[in-house]
């Protein structure tokens, strides 16, 4: 993504840390949680790779097409999974956004000038979706009651805690907004 190096590195760190935590969540005993965590880890690391400042590493021209193809396949998988789970619909929108950003970067790898036309409609729609998602996710993180302590009988393992999974999704949603604003 284009822009200043410091915010780009912060975005790389946020996405990589989120991806790493999602890898840890894959140790859950619940199959659906493992599957969702795997998809989120993939998205986190993919977003981290795309956010590396262009001044540090400029990928070859074919890399953006490869990103687009890889996230396109992931979008098909999310589309298949979305039939049974509403959460996978969000994964679908996220992977479509990644495909879109890859295509934009492939078409104009130097700099992104939209002319005087303003924000393209798809970018605007994705920005609205992810901004709404971030706001809704933030509200869902507000504590509703006392949490159980990990390690106690009947307690929830730290990798299975829903509030940590929501925080993970919130951070990726914020990163997606930041990335969409830069294209």
């Amino acid at each position: 993504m284009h822009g200043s190096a410091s915010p780009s590195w912060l975005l790389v760190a946020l996405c990589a840390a989120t991806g790493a935590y999602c890898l840890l969540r894959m140790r859950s005993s619940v199959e659906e949680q493992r599957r969702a965590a795997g998809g989120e880890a993939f998205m986190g690391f993919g977003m981290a790779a795309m956010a590396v400042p262009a001044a540090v590493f400029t990928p070859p021209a074919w890399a953006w097409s490869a990103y687009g193809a890889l996230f396109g396949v992931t979008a098909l998988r999310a589309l298949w999974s979305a039939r049974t789970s509403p959460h996978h619909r969000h994964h679908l929108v996220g992977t479509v956004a990644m495909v879109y950003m890859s295509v934009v970067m492939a078409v104009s790898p130097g700099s992104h000038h939209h002319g005087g036309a303003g924000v393209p409609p798809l970018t605007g729609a994705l920005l609205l979706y992810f901004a709404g998602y971030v706001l809704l996710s933030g509200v869902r993180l507000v504590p509703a009651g006392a949490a159980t302590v990990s390690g106690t009988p009947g307690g929830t393992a730290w990798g299975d805690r829903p509030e940590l999974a929501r925080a993970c999704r919130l951070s990726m949603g914020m990163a997606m907004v930041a990335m969409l604003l830069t294209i």
Side-chain angles (χ1 to χ4, degrees):
M1 307 299 341
H2 300 283
S4 176
S6 278
S8 293
W9 282 120
L10 290 172
L11 193 57
V12 169
L14 175 69
C15 293
T18 301
Y21 174 70
C22 289
L23 282 179
L24 292 175
R25 283 183 36 229
M26 288 181 67
R27 298 184 317 172
S28 172
S29 60
V30 180
E31 182 181 346
E32 180 59 29
Q33 287 181 9
R34 283 194 310 266
R35 201 172 319 171
E40 291 164 2
F42 179 74
M43 287 292 290
F45 289 127
M47 291 169 69
M50 286 181 78
V52 172
V56 174
F57 175 71
T58 303
W62 58 266
W64 297 113
S65 298
Y67 277 136
L70 189 60
F71 282 108
V73 169
T74 306
L76 290 175
R77 183 176 181 270
L79 179 62
W80 182 258
S81 298
R83 298 172 306 119
T84 58
S85 171
H87 176 70
H88 288 286
R89 292 182 194 130
H90 173 69
H91 284 184
L92 177 61
V93 174
T95 55
V96 167
M98 295 296 284
V99 170
Y100 172 66
M101 288 189 287
S102 299
V103 168
V104 168
M105 295 299 287
V107 171
S108 58
S111 67
H112 300 280
H113 299 288
H114 301 297
V119 176
L122 184 54
T123 303
L126 289 169
L127 276 169
L128 283 174
Y129 173 82
F130 283 105
Y133 183 81
V134 165
L135 291 173
L136 183 61
S137 295
V139 168
R140 288 181 179 165
L141 278 175
V142 175
T148 59
V149 177
S150 177
T152 61
T156 305
W158 69 272
D160 288 333
R161 295 183 62 176
E163 69 275 11
L164 293 177
R166 286 187 190 122
C168 181
R169 293 178 191 126
L170 172 64
S171 65
M172 284 197 295
M174 290 186 304
M176 191 66 79
V177 169
M179 291 174 78
L180 285 165
L181 286 172
T182 63
I183 63 169

